[in-house]
Amino acid sequence: MTTDQVIDEFKESGALLEGHFKLSSGLHSSVYLQCALVLQYPAKAEAFGRAIAERYVGQQIELVASPAIGGLIIGHEVARALGARFIWTERQDGEMILRRGFTVRAGERVLVVEDVVTTGGSTRETVAVLQALGANVIGAASIIDRSAGEANVGVPRTALATLNVPSVDPAQCELCKRGEQATKPGSRKAIGSKP
Ligand SMILES: [Zn+2]
């Protein structure tokens, strides 16, 4: 799967919008990504999962682990394609942890999978949790890397598509300087949804 194919799938699903956006971080960007909109189609999720898995064939991945919520669907599909087990980490009081009785064997070969890497924070924390439990974290993968390849998660990292779309402080935003109003996608309820 090429970068262009990945981007086309996102655009078709409305998961990648171009314009002037206020992100949940408060920063402004000309690109808005909402992976959930493409991953709502299981066939697309499966195809992305297979494409990521292909890069790790032969690396004896025994376990795929993802930070919830963003990594759940794609991580599960990667695990299915690799014939691996799948677990997730989640935040409790701000700290990324393993819950629900999930365990990791010492030396278990793990791939960490996220939907989008922006700063790499969630992936990095998940890698650290697994390493602290003795796992052998082979690498980390995402569908999209919007850090232009810059995010460091502590292990080798790959992405199906790497974008260079800076997120900037509103005070430094060129689009704001031109007087264009930033919008916040996803903040409106869908028309026709029940109250
Ligand atoms: Zn702006």
Side-chain angles (χ1 to χ4, degrees):
M1 195 177 272
T2 65
T3 294
D4 286 347
Q5 284 171 325
V6 173
I7 299 303
D8 284 348
E9 295 279 14
F10 270 70
K11 285 184 175 168
E12 273 173 32
S13 314
L16 193 160
L17 304 176
E18 290 166 304
H20 180 200
F21 303 108
K22 183 179 183 194
L23 307 180
S24 52
S25 58
L27 301 177
H28 285 196
S29 178
S30 61
V31 171
Y32 176 80
L33 272 179
Q34 179 48 272
C35 270
L37 291 177
V38 66
L39 296 175
Q40 70 183 305
Y41 303 103
K44 291 184 196 279
E46 183 184 17
F48 290 138
R50 281 217 197 102
I52 290 173
E54 277 171 13
R55 300 177 175 204
Y56 295 92
V57 167
Q59 297 200 40
Q60 291 89 43
I61 302 297
E62 300 168 281
L63 172 67
V64 173
S66 296
I69 295 174
L72 291 183
I73 292 173
I74 187 61
H76 194 261
E77 290 297 339
V78 173
R80 186 203 305 275
L82 288 171
R85 192 160 68 88
F86 175 71
I87 63 173
W88 66 87
T89 57
E90 57 200 299
R91 284 191 198 283
Q92 191 172 57
D93 302 324
E95 190 193 355
M96 196 68 94
I97 56 167
L98 267 190
R99 294 181 61 200
R100 303 172 195 276
F102 288 146
T103 56
V104 180
R105 263 192 359 263
E108 194 164 12
R109 296 174 68 83
V110 187
L111 177 65
V112 173
V113 175
E114 234 316 11
D115 55 352
V116 181
V117 162
T118 303
T119 64
S122 299
T123 291
R124 191 166 53 241
E125 288 172 65
T126 297
V127 168
V129 165
L130 297 166
Q131 287 176 334
L133 294 167
N136 178 8
V137 182
I138 303 301
S142 62
I143 308 172
I144 305 268
D145 169 10
R146 62 177 297 165
S147 80
E150 295 294 316
N152 179 356
V153 300
V155 293
R157 194 168 66 76
T158 63
L160 294 182
T162 298
L163 307 180
N164 185 2
V165 283
S167 304
V168 297
D169 190 277
Q172 264 93 53
C173 180
E174 291 299 326
L175 296 165
C176 281
K177 282 179 195 159
R178 278 191 248 151
E180 293 175 25
Q181 192 71 38
T183 58
K184 198 170 181 185
S187 59
R188 279 173 295 174
K189 286 212 174 87
I191 293 162
S193 66
K194 300 230 164 65

